Amino acid sequence: AGIIGLPLFFEVGIVLLIPVVLLVAKRGNYSLMRIGIPALAGLSVMHGLVPPHPGPLAAIDAIGANLGVTLAFGVLVGIPTLVIAGPLFGRIAGRWVDTEPPEGLIPQRPSEDLDKRPSFGATLTTVLLPVVLMLAKALSDIVIDDADNHVQRVLDVIGSPMIALLVAVIVGMFTLGRAAGFGKDRITKTVEKSLLPIAGILLIVGAGGGFKQTLIDIGVGEMILDFSKDWSIPTLLLAWLIAVAIRLATGSATVATISAAGLVAPLAADMGTAEAALLVLAVGAGSLFFSHVNDAGFWLVKEYFGMDVGQTVKTWSLMETIISVVSLIFLLLLSLVV
């Protein structure tokens, strides 16, 4: 789930992984929550902490953080957070809630409409390609650090988030589409269908940007800074609390990240590269806090796993809170080192 969650939007990752989760739980005779919680944790951690997801990318731009450093710190903090909120909490959640998935969702056998399948190596390479390209750009900025160097110029282009994702899409047409026996017409139709869900993502990101600008224009950012200047509170904790408040109010992690990043951006004016990256991640961690009934993801998880509202709060909502708090703790510890 963590690997799949690197390049994919959260809702898309859930749709892809649900059949796998249900099949593993059935064949292994496991509690559905014991398998489902780790998968959800992997997707959620990547969605909130790791570029190229839209929330972290927008926060990086607003705060002026370094993409490569933020990506590296996000993975560094995300892995132990994922382990705690996923497999470890999943064992507890499996004892708390025992549900049966809705009828018709469990696949009975692998899909038989394909003559061939892509290899695991090709699939993994394609999924990780955009992250590798972005990390390569970050490393070239450190190792080469010469604007006239041709290698760095190339990496600056292909390592930018949008181009890296575009390259992965084009490569995927061959490593996944052609390898599965898709012809030109079927690849074209698949690409056309994939454009439809993008509209919702663009609306969420656009709404988050508009909400952020509204908060900034009416002076909320300056009010928060004036109100908190006498507090003996770490900057990372303040940024986390602001994101938590917006998350609880709006329900959207992306809106919370974009809005909170715009409000705390003045705090990063005198920060170094590492501190700015940690500030971005603190905002991302706060944006994951306690998903409840005003979050679309809450209802998506509830329906796919056949739970009622109370069961969803005890599993999904608590898992999101654990991710948010644990990642903040790791960020504060990391800030003592870097």
Side-chain angles (χ1 to χ4, degrees), residues 107-147:
Q108 298 302 313
R109 61 182 63 85
S111 175
E112 295 178 350
D113 63 343
L114 299 178
D115 298 328
K116 301 183 287 185
R117 297 180 188 279
S119 68
F120 176 77
T123 304
L124 188 63
T125 301
T126 306
V127 170
L128 294 178
L129 181 59
V131 176
V132 172
L133 291 176
M134 287 188 288
L135 285 176
K137 175 188 179 301
L139 288 175
S140 74
D141 291 340
I142 297 172
V143 176
I144 301 175
D145 194 21
D146 181 3

Side-chain angles (χ1 to χ4, degrees), residues 49-51 56 60 65-75 273 276-278 280-281:
L49 298 180
V50 181
I60 288 170
N66 180 280
L67 173 64
V69 174
T70 307
L71 176 58
F73 283 172
V75 173
T273 302
L278 292 176
V280 169
L281 296 175

Side-chain angles (χ1 to χ4, degrees), residues 40 62 129 182 215:
L40 293 172
L129 181 59
F182 286 13
L215 294 175

Side-chain angles (χ1 to χ4, degrees), residues 235-250:
T235 304
L236 297 183
L237 179 57
L238 176 62
W240 182 83
L241 289 171
I242 293 171
V244 165
I246 299 175
R247 159 71 157 178
L248 293 175
T250 65

